[in-house]
Amino acid sequence: MNTSWATLAKCVHDRARHVSLGVAVVGPDDSIWAHGGDVTFPSASTAKIPIMVTIYRMLESNTLTLDARRVLQDEHKANGSGVLRHMQSGLQLTIADLLYLMISIR
């Protein structure tokens, strides 16, 4: 099986004229197509995806609940645009609160 990348290539190239874009895809036949595949991009909010997956796996395995509370400490505050770094240390938030803040606010 040979994967044809022509449609994807046209779509990506059309959009790449207007924005900085990187795409890498592995086809069903293990062939690889990339545009800007050698360019390093900041991860930005994509880091939230594995965090959320991990939390939901913990919820599913009953090792964590949405009502569990965590106390915000200075060392928990990460650089970036998150709202938590502007909140007072000592604040108690539930896991549900933290997930909401992480996903709803960039």
Side-chain angles (χ1 to χ4, degrees):
M1 166 189 245
N2 286 337
T3 302
S4 172
W5 299 108
T7 302
L8 177 61
K10 181 179 179 345
C11 181
V12 170
H13 286 113
D14 288 348
R15 282 152 184 80
R17 289 181 290 160
H18 308 287
V19 297
S20 179
L21 180 63
V23 178
V25 182
V26 178
D29 59 353
D30 290 330
S31 61
I32 298 172
W33 182 87
H35 171 87
D38 57 345
V39 177
T40 301
F41 293 91
S43 64
S45 290
T46 60
K48 296 176 182 181
I49 297 166
I51 293 169
M52 191 167 225
V53 168
T54 299
I55 299 264
Y56 275 94
R57 285 181 178 162
M58 292 173 76
L59 293 169
E60 190 174 67
S61 69
N62 295 317
T63 57
L64 186 67
T65 67
L66 288 174
D67 294 330
R69 292 193 173 271
R70 297 294 183 261
V71 178
L72 181 62
Q73 301 296 329
D74 283 336
E75 60 266 19
H76 299 149
K77 298 176 184 182
N79 291 330
S81 60
V83 69
L84 287 178
R85 65 190 169 106
H86 301 288
M87 295 183 161
Q88 293 279 332
S89 289
L91 177 66
Q92 288 191 28
L93 296 157
T94 65
I95 297 300
D97 294 334
L98 291 166
L99 284 172
Y100 176 78
L101 289 171
M102 180 179 74
I103 296 303
S104 64
I105 300 173
R106 325 189 259 153

